[in-house]
Every structure is written in structure tokens, then in C-alpha cells.
Amino acid sequence: MAKRKNHTAKNQTRKQHRNGIKKPKKGTQPGSHKGLDQNYRRNLKFAKRWNDVKGGRPKELRDKQQKALVEAFKKATAVKGAAPKQAAKPAAGGAKKGGAKK
């Protein structure tokens, strides 16, 4: 016995395009997160946690924490008993890279 045809896509694209192929709806209501992608919702939750909008850190607290981090970094990297280095000034006369050529 001969094998039969297993599949065909005949007329399927015509039926799909008859009413138009539409993008899936993002949400049910403005401001609602129902129907959104779960990974997106989870990421949104963590992103909002540190945002400067409603429910996030106040700007004053953020600035205070940032200053504390900078001070802690300076303490950790400072060498005991050493004065802070100053940038070396270029020699007068404009010495060029590579030495003098004659």
C-alpha cells in the first residue's frame, strides 16, 4: 500500500490573514500587570525596588548611602602613613616622548 500525505498547510494562511494577524495584548487595563510575561513581571518587581519613584529609595537616603560607600572605599584603599600623591607637572620646555634626537 502507498503512503498517504501526512500534513498540508493549504488554506491555513488565508484563513489566518482573513481577520488579520494581531499582536497579543499586553495587559487588560492600564496600570495592570495581569496577562504580562512572568519573567518581565519579576524583573519589574526588582527594578522598582531601587527606583527613585513611588515605593523606591528616597533621594536623600540614596545620596547618604552613596557618600558612605565612597568614604569606605577611600579608607580601604588608603595606605597608612602615606601622603596623597599629587600629579607630576610637565618639565618646562615641553619635553617630548622618546627622548632627544640629533
Side-chain angles (χ1 to χ4, degrees):
M1 238 174 132
K3 289 186 175 181
R4 301 286 184 202
K5 184 187 284 188
N6 290 324
H7 175 71
T8 182
K10 182 181 179 183
N11 202 39
Q12 297 308 307
T13 55
R14 181 170 184 261
K15 290 195 304 185
Q16 291 164 354
H17 284 85
R18 189 178 294 156
N19 294 319
I21 296 178
K22 299 178 180 75
K23 290 184 179 180
K25 292 183 179 180
K26 292 277 184 164
T28 54
Q29 295 177 354
S32 172
H33 297 297
K34 286 184 179 178
L36 285 180
D37 181 35
Q38 291 302 308
N39 290 337
Y40 175 76
R41 289 177 66 180
R42 194 172 301 118
N43 186 51
L44 189 65
K45 176 178 75 172
F46 290 113
K48 279 185 175 181
R49 191 174 285 179
W50 300 112
N51 236 346
D52 292 329
V53 296
K54 183 179 177 183
R57 289 188 298 178
K59 189 175 181 196
E60 299 81 24
L61 178 61
R62 186 190 68 210
D63 293 341
K64 184 179 177 183
Q65 289 173 339
Q66 185 67 27
K67 286 179 184 176
L69 282 172
V70 170
E71 291 300 320
F73 179 76
K74 284 181 182 178
K75 278 185 180 179
T77 56
V79 179
K80 292 181 181 176
K85 291 183 179 180
Q86 292 183 353
K89 294 182 181 178
K96 292 184 181 178
K97 201 174 199 179
K101 292 184 182 178
K102 293 183 182 180

